[in-house]
Amino acid sequence: MGTNRATRLALRLATALTLAFIYIPIGLIVVYSLNEAVTPAWPPTGFTLRWWGVAFENTGLRQAFLTSVTVALGAMAIALVLGTLAAIAVARHRFFGREAISFFVVFPIALPGIVTGIALNSSFTTVLVPLGVSFGMLTVVIAHTTFCIVVVFNNVVARLRRTSTSLEEASMDLGATRSEEHTSELQSH
């Protein structure tokens, strides 16, 4: 009993130290951004929102923020669709090459980022540039999507493996159809 209590205490302490290591610097940046002084000073001489106004007026900063949001939303939308479809195929169906597809989807995050970046650059140069697609927002969204798909895929596969197929069978009792049946019905009309 005593060892179990000591282990829990050590785990809580390690968690608190790790969170402090991550969040205290972020908190200090926020405090410095509200500091009245022109240079970082501790303790702050006073508090003001002046620096936030200066940052908001900076058009380059605003444009960079909007570009980041656009890339994030685009990568997220594509990754949600492709990652979910791949996860459903791998978790719910048996077919030749299933493990290879699973490996292929997870591979970009298993490699160091620089290797994936070089591979994407080479692919874009040999495939997209000859088609008239230059490096820009599209290629940045595609590159970010390769990493986001892994996160979606892993989470959806994990959830599907823990979710019983009896839920899908129950939904079919209520009138739902399998995607293959629904597709064939649409094609027959």
Side-chain angles (χ1 to χ4, degrees), residues 18 22 55 68 82 95 119 147 157:
T18 301
I22 293 170
S68 294
L82 296 179
F95 56 90
F147 289 101
V157 163

Side-chain angles (χ1 to χ4, degrees), residues 7-144:
T7 303
R8 280 194 313 238
L9 183 63
L11 183 59
R12 287 182 183 152
L13 180 63
T15 301
L17 289 173
T18 301
L19 291 174
F21 180 77
I22 293 170
Y23 290 111
I24 287 176
I26 295 171
L28 285 174
I29 290 171
V30 171
V31 170
Y32 281 134
S33 75
L34 298 171
N35 191 357
E36 197 172 66
V38 176
T39 58
W42 194 262
T45 58
F47 291 101
T48 182
L49 292 175
R50 175 179 162 216
W51 304 118
W52 286 66
V54 169
F56 185 73
E57 290 172 2
N58 185 329
T59 56
L61 185 63
R62 272 199 322 260
Q63 187 59 42
F65 177 75
L66 290 174
T67 300
S68 294
V69 169
T70 303
V71 168
L73 291 174
M76 177 197 64
I78 297 168
L80 279 173
V81 172
L82 296 179
T84 301
L85 291 174
I88 290 170
V90 167
R92 292 290 192 242
H93 301 284
R94 303 286 177 251
F95 56 90
F96 176 75
R98 186 171 73 95
E99 295 302 320
I101 288 175
S102 181
F103 176 75
F104 177 73
V105 171
V106 177
F107 197 61
I109 209 161
L111 291 173
I114 189 71
V115 173
T116 304
I118 291 170
L120 286 169
N121 183 34
S122 177
S123 298
F124 293 156
T125 303
T126 56
V127 177
L128 294 180
V129 172
L131 295 175
V133 178
S134 61
F135 286 98
M137 184 73 78
L138 177 63
T139 56
V140 173
V141 169
I142 291 170
H144 281 79

